[in-house]
Amino acid sequence: MGNSRGVESIRTATSARVHSIPGTHRSKYLDLFMLDQEKKKLNKECSTLEKKLKKNLERIKEIEEQTKKLKHEELPKKKKFSMKNQRISDFSAGEKSKWKTMKLGY
């Protein structure tokens, strides 16, 4: 059971780069055709990836510009907190605070 193969191990003739025709009976034109088809496919994939790369680079540039803009933007100044006008609670002033007690209706 250790050598069981899964779906991911299945390969087609094209992915395995083999043909059903033996090499001695195969014409070089068929090989040229197959190579040309693969070349077209890879060129198309390259152009797609180049477009994605260009789009990603543009987005990165936009993000950097927005980041610069936000960094250079002046942040609103924070108000300073002072204790002069603040009322200190009775408990912290040393006086005992009065606790209200209520009966529970059990």
Side-chain angles (χ1 to χ4, degrees), residues 44-93:
K44 186 175 180 180
E45 188 175 336
C46 284
S47 67
T48 305
L49 291 174
E50 286 174 356
K51 288 177 187 176
K52 284 184 180 181
L53 176 65
K54 185 178 177 183
K55 193 182 283 187
N56 287 343
L57 290 174
E58 288 175 0
R59 180 65 182 138
I60 288 172
K61 188 176 179 182
E62 289 175 8
I63 289 171
E64 288 175 350
E65 289 174 1
Q66 289 176 353
T67 305
K68 280 183 185 178
K69 184 178 178 183
L70 290 174
K71 282 183 179 179
H72 292 297
E73 219 173 74
E74 201 170 305
L75 296 175
K77 294 182 180 179
K78 293 182 180 179
K79 294 181 181 178
K80 291 186 178 181
F81 182 77
S82 67
M83 292 295 289
K84 289 180 183 177
N85 299 331
Q86 299 295 322
R87 183 169 178 237
I88 300 173
S89 70
D90 295 337
F91 184 72
S92 62

Side-chain angles (χ1 to χ4, degrees), residues 10-19:
I10 297 173
R11 297 187 68 177
T12 62
T14 306
S15 66
R17 290 176 172 61
V18 296
H19 304 287

Side-chain angles (χ1 to χ4, degrees), residues 18-34:
V18 296
H19 304 287
S20 58
I21 304 171
T24 55
H25 298 290
R26 190 169 47 221
S27 94
K28 66 179 181 178
Y29 298 107
L30 178 62
D31 289 338
L32 288 173
F33 175 77
M34 293 299 290

